[in-house]
Structure formats: C-alpha cells, structure tokens
Amino acid sequence: MPRIQTFFADLSQKAGLADEIIRLSPRRRAAAKPFQLGDVQEQNEVYLDLATGADFTKGGLTGTMVMIFFYMALIGSPALRQEGQVENYFIAFGILFGIAFITLFIEVLLPFPMPVRFNRRTREIYFQDRRKLYHVPWDEAVAWMQQTRQVTQYTGATRMTSLQVLLQRFRQPDEVIALQLSLPMGKTPEIQAMLWEYLRCYMEKGPWFDEQGESLTVSNRDKVLDKRRGNKADLRGDWQICKQDMELGTGTKLGTAFIMLFHIGFYPAALVQDWTTAVARRRAEKRQWHKRVRERCRSDGPTTRLYDQEVEAGLLRDDSDDISEAAAR
C-alpha cells in the first residue's frame, strides 16, 4: 500500500530512526522459533485475535465488588441464627448484590477493547477503534521493532522494545496509524521477534503449528488458549508458576504459601472478572466489529480484501503514481 510505505519512510526520516529500527517482513523469518506470551485471545482456521492491554482490565470493578460483598455476607452470616435478623440480612445483601449486578450490566454494555485480527482467508489485518475501521493487506504489511532505554532515579535503566504495524483507515486511506502489537514494557527484541514469527507462521504456514513453527495437521487450539493472560481465575497455573520458582531457587515455601493464599482469597473476584470479560467479548464480536469484517471472518464469507474494494471505488491511486512522487522528493 503506497501511502503506508510513504508514511513509514517519512516517519523514519523525520524521527531520525532509520538506523535504529528493525523492519520486519511477512515474507522473511524473524526469529528461530515462534512464541507468544499469552497475547493470543482467539485462534482458529479463519482468524487469530491478538488482545490489547485494555482487555485485561475488563470486569475488574464488578469482580472486586462481588468479592467484597461475598466476604461481607460470610462475615455477617451469624445474623441468620438470630431471631428477626434473617429478613434484614437478605434485604441488605440483596441490595448490595443488586448493585453488583447493575455494575456487571454496565460493564458488559460498555464498548469492549477490540483485538487486532489477522484473517487468513483474506490475508488482511484488521483493527477497530470504536467506529473507525483500520486495515492492511498482510502481504504488504509494514512492521518494525524499536528498542529504547529509559533511565530514572527511581527505577534505574529500563529497556523497552515496541513492536508496531501500520494500518490505514477504511475508505480514508490518508489516515494512517501505528498500532502496538504487544506491550513494550519488559520485552526484548528477541521476544518481540518471536511474537512476529508466531503471527507469520499462522498466516503463512497454517492455523496450527508446533513450538518450532512446523505445521500440524490437527488443532492445538486448546493448548494455545491455555496460555492466554486474560484468564485470571487459574489456581492451577498459579501453583505451577510457584513450583517452578521453588525448583529454580527463586521462591520459598513461605513465600509460595502467601502467594497462593492471596490468589485463593481473590479467586471470587477473578472468577467474576473472567465471566464478565467473556460475556462482553461475545457481545463485541456480534455487535462491535464492522459488518465487512464479520462477513470475512465466516468460513463461508467473501475472500475479497477491503483494499480491493477501495481500489474499485477509486479511493486509491496506482502504485506507480505514489512511487513517482516518492522518487521526486
């Protein structure tokens, strides 16, 4: 897409980053093997969803309220043995849990942070910010990594690596955005490159592949989604992490006990948050995604790209025109 190519060239030149960024290609291997740190929200034969950071906070308010009211109900349960207090007990906590239900209803109805979607059938990347739909053909995607180092008197030196891809707004190709594919904090270029390789394996080799990037004939969807960071209520996973820390010598039995007690105590909040997030996500899938995206994410949907529709509508000029302009600069 010529506008994206020109935008990237101008961005690199103006920011003075031409020698500091690492450009990634859909056609070139980025790392020795694919890897993702639980960023994949959904993966199937048609599309892969990469969750955004805002997705992990959805349902937090409802979960916290339910947890507080639940423990208050337990503490106040002796009142059930007192004559004349049973009715007051159920009225009081009925009102409190009614407030929690209203909060849940509001959180479900509020717009859900949409993921970044990679469609294998149309070979496009989609992202939607409220009613603004952005896209780019996978084969012409422009992505890059940039490592930065921040030094403060509080944290010392902190390294961050951003992984971004350029998308343009549907039917308004002059509006281009740089979209973060993964949170940069605590990420190294190697980790971000492995995430890009994961996405590349999905788009190029097929929906299912092993840890080395080799194609599989059977689905490993459950294994992939088990790593999803969006699941808060996962006591088994928390216990496995604690066991690994003890085996590596970085954790103690006393520390593990405190950590597990913490997770058990907050389990009601995590459980409600997971359920609220799941309901909001299903609603967003049916109502928030643009109609053209929903159609192209069906197994029997159209395979035409949004970019092709823009060309047919005369919204994009020929590549030769943009190349001539870029050369003239």
Side-chain angles (χ1 to χ4, degrees), residues 1 26 48 115-120 122-128 133-143 165-168 179 181 196 199 203 289 293 306:
M1 302 175 78
L48 179 150
V116 187
R117 177 160 292 184
F118 294 77
N119 191 320
R120 293 192 71 248
T122 61
R123 293 183 66 80
E124 276 192 301
I125 305 174
Y126 307 122
F127 176 70
Q128 189 166 318
L133 175 61
Y134 298 89
H135 70 104
V136 66
W138 166 254
D139 296 314
E140 302 176 43
V142 175
V165 63
L166 292 177
L167 291 87
Q168 72 178 33
L179 184 66
L181 293 181
W196 180 258
L199 300 172
M203 297 295 285
W289 272 117
V293 175
L306 299 183

Side-chain angles (χ1 to χ4, degrees), residues 14-32:
K14 291 177 181 178
L17 302 175
D19 297 327
E20 299 179 16
I21 63 175
I22 302 173
R23 183 166 175 175
L24 302 170
S25 171
R27 294 171 292 277
R28 186 176 62 251
R29 195 164 188 170

Side-chain angles (χ1 to χ4, degrees), residues 180-229:
Q180 290 275 5
L181 293 181
S182 177
L183 294 176
M185 288 76 75
K187 302 290 179 65
T188 64
E190 291 76 15
I191 291 176
Q192 297 288 42
M194 287 192 288
L195 173 59
W196 180 258
E197 182 62 20
Y198 188 97
L199 300 172
R200 202 185 71 84
C201 286
Y202 175 80
M203 297 295 285
E204 298 293 333
K205 296 186 177 182
W208 317 118
F209 46 90
D210 60 20
E211 295 179 353
Q212 303 302 319
E214 299 299 327
S215 299
L216 298 175
T217 57
V218 295
S219 170
N220 62 346
R221 178 176 178 272
D222 292 340
K223 182 179 179 181
V224 170
L225 298 185
D226 277 345
K227 299 179 181 179
R228 187 172 54 199
R229 287 185 294 166

Side-chain angles (χ1 to χ4, degrees), residues 44-65:
N44 53 49
E45 291 83 356
V46 179
Y47 63 86
L48 179 150
D49 281 349
L50 207 60
T52 59
D55 172 56
F56 304 123
T57 60
K58 191 72 171 179
L61 178 60
T62 301
T64 302
M65 291 180 67

Side-chain angles (χ1 to χ4, degrees), residues 30-85:
K33 61 180 182 178
F35 185 71
Q36 56 93 11
L37 293 171
D39 295 296
V40 174
Q41 178 177 298
E42 176 60 88
Q43 182 172 331
N44 53 49
E45 291 83 356
V46 179
Y47 63 86
L48 179 150
D49 281 349
L50 207 60
T52 59
D55 172 56
F56 304 123
T57 60
K58 191 72 171 179
L61 178 60
T62 301
T64 302
M65 291 180 67
V66 170
M67 179 188 68
I68 293 173
F69 297 157
F70 173 72
Y71 285 127
M72 287 176 61
L74 288 180
I75 294 173
S77 60
L80 295 174
R81 300 178 181 178
Q82 301 176 11
E83 186 177 354
Q85 295 298 318

